[in-house]
Amino acid sequence: MTYKAPRASWREVELAEVEEDEEETELENQTADSGLSSLGWYHANLSRHAAEALLLTNGQDGSYLLRNSNSKSNSYSLSVRARDSVKHFEVLQCGSYFKFGFNEFPTLKQFVEHFANQPLIGSESGTLILLKHPYPCTVEEPSIYEAVRVHTAMQTGRSESDLVPVAPALGTKEGYLTKQGGRVKSWKTRWFILSRNELKYFKDKLSTEPIKTLDLTECSAVQFDYSQEKVNCFCMVFPLRTYYLCAKTGAEADEWIKMLRWKMSQIKKQMQ
């Protein structure tokens, strides 16, 4: 008796081909995703708001990172800092190749090599931006953060409360400290904000204009100080003056010292 295998209908063949194509596409996407995960400046599920906060607070002009698009699948966003703002550019993934602007890259390797050459990209305003500094997804940051203050709210039209919950831990700190005067050695409580490479102090929390801005690139040392009559004091040494500051508790003073020292270590790394 001869066995005759059943013939597949055109519909079954068509479905099988579609499923095979889908499996190949999914495999290509998984391969690309696994390759991107090894990319040092790929931040995966970082949100648009958090990317802006990260680049504006810790990055510099020309810093950039790649993240998943918040609106499209198989699509990514290249977030780039251009002076005091952040621009976002779409990167499309079509199977195994990537499309960025007018360029298409058959492989992930070629896509990455393109950025290694520090390319120029144009923004909507016509400004050319040089991609100089890939922002690493693993950044050495201090373990203590009192608060995150995002200074992009006014620029983007969003409120600070919209950005803070999604922003990662950033190297910023703020709070009241008691400061000794320069000429008159009296002590006054001031509101301090540490952001980027600057420490600003204000008359109070509601003041908009700082009394003075201290450039941390000029600071040579930060340490506990026991020469003053007050407790929980620390000092910041600058070429022309040493600033004496006091916190409410020893733990709070220690947090300020750790944060300031970390900032100074990052400045040294950037200068090397």
Side-chain angles (χ1 to χ4, degrees), residues 60-172:
Q60 53 189 307
D61 191 34
S63 292
Y64 63 92
L65 58 85
L66 186 69
R67 58 185 177 80
N68 294 341
S69 172
N70 298 139
S71 57
K72 298 180 181 179
S73 59
N74 298 333
S75 179
Y76 305 90
S77 291
L78 185 76
S79 300
V80 186
R81 176 171 171 179
R83 296 185 180 178
D84 293 326
S85 65
V86 175
K87 310 294 183 184
H88 304 276
F89 302 90
E90 185 178 55
V91 179
L92 293 174
Q93 179 187 331
C94 304
S96 60
Y97 73 90
F98 293 84
K99 185 175 181 180
F100 176 59
F102 298 106
N103 300 313
E104 291 186 359
F105 305 94
T107 65
L108 175 63
K109 182 181 179 181
Q110 292 180 15
F111 175 70
V112 174
E113 287 176 348
H114 176 72
F115 289 93
N117 295 323
Q118 296 189 353
L120 280 167
I121 58 175
S123 65
E124 295 177 354
S125 62
T127 304
L128 290 176
I129 307 170
L130 178 63
L131 303 182
K132 295 184 289 186
H133 311 290
Y135 194 91
C137 55
T138 53
V139 181
E140 179 189 349
E141 292 185 340
S143 58
I144 43 95
Y145 297 95
E146 179 182 76
V148 174
R149 188 175 187 86
V150 181
H151 298 279
T152 59
M154 293 299 293
Q155 298 173 356
T156 60
R158 290 182 293 272
S159 67
E160 192 175 39
S161 59
D162 291 334
L163 304 181
V164 170
V166 296
L170 306 177
T172 62

Side-chain angles (χ1 to χ4, degrees), residues 7 24 30 43 54 81 89 101 109 116 151 160 169 176-177 184 187-188 202 210 221-222 261 264 267 270:
R7 180 179 296 177
E24 288 180 356
Q30 289 176 353
H43 290 246
L54 196 66
R81 176 171 171 179
F89 302 90
K109 182 181 179 181
H151 298 279
E160 192 175 39
Y176 280 107
L177 293 171
V184 180
W187 294 85
K188 292 184 179 180
F202 303 75
V222 179
R261 284 178 175 174
M264 291 167 62
I267 292 171
Q270 292 176 4

Side-chain angles (χ1 to χ4, degrees), residues 5-24:
R7 180 179 296 177
S9 67
W10 67 271
R11 180 63 179 169
E12 290 172 333
V13 172
E14 185 182 63
L15 285 173
E17 290 177 349
V18 170
E19 289 175 354
E20 185 178 349
D21 290 342
E22 289 178 348
E23 288 176 357
E24 288 180 356

